[in-house]
């Protein structure tokens, strides 16, 4: 089932409709107000590779170029 928000997924889990996979930050936040248990995923398929998408680095404003450079350096 697909839902419009991670909060909606967590609400259904709390209502014992099933299980859900949401970002850890979401799970930690909603676990403060909802009766859900957090089970960390440790399998290799659960690791995400994130990509920065831009048209042309030289056309970006300075602040955007600096952000991209910072993100690439800390990856």
């Amino acid at each position: 089932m697909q839902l419009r928000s991670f909060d909606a997924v967590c609400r259904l889990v709390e209502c014992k409709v099933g299980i859900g996979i949401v970002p850890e930050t979401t799970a930690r936040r909603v676990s403060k107000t909802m009766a859900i248990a957090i089970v960390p995923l440790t399998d290799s398929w659960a690791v995400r590779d994130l990509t920065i998408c831009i048209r042309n680095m030289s056309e970006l404003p300075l602040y955007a170029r600096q952000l991209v450079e910072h993100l690439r350096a800390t990856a």
Side-chain angles (χ1 to χ4, degrees):
M1 175 183 312
Q2 279 187 305
L3 299 170
R4 291 182 180 230
S5 72
F6 294 134
D7 287 341
V9 171
C10 293
R11 281 195 299 274
L12 286 181
V13 169
E14 184 180 37
C15 292
K16 300 179 181 169
V17 173
I19 65 169
I21 298 176
V22 298
E24 183 179 3
T25 53
T26 300
R28 288 188 187 283
R29 179 176 48 80
V30 301
S31 69
K32 295 175 184 174
T33 59
M34 294 185 195
I36 65 168
I38 298 174
V39 179
L41 298 174
T42 58
D43 296 334
S44 61
W45 65 264
V47 176
R48 292 184 176 222
D49 291 321
L50 301 177
T51 304
I52 301 168
C53 298
I54 57 175
R55 282 189 180 175
N56 187 331
M57 185 75 157
S58 63
E59 293 179 6
L60 290 176
L62 177 59
Y63 65 87
R65 280 195 311 263
Q66 290 172 332
L67 174 62
V68 170
E69 290 166 3
H70 173 74
L71 292 171
R72 291 178 74 192
T74 59

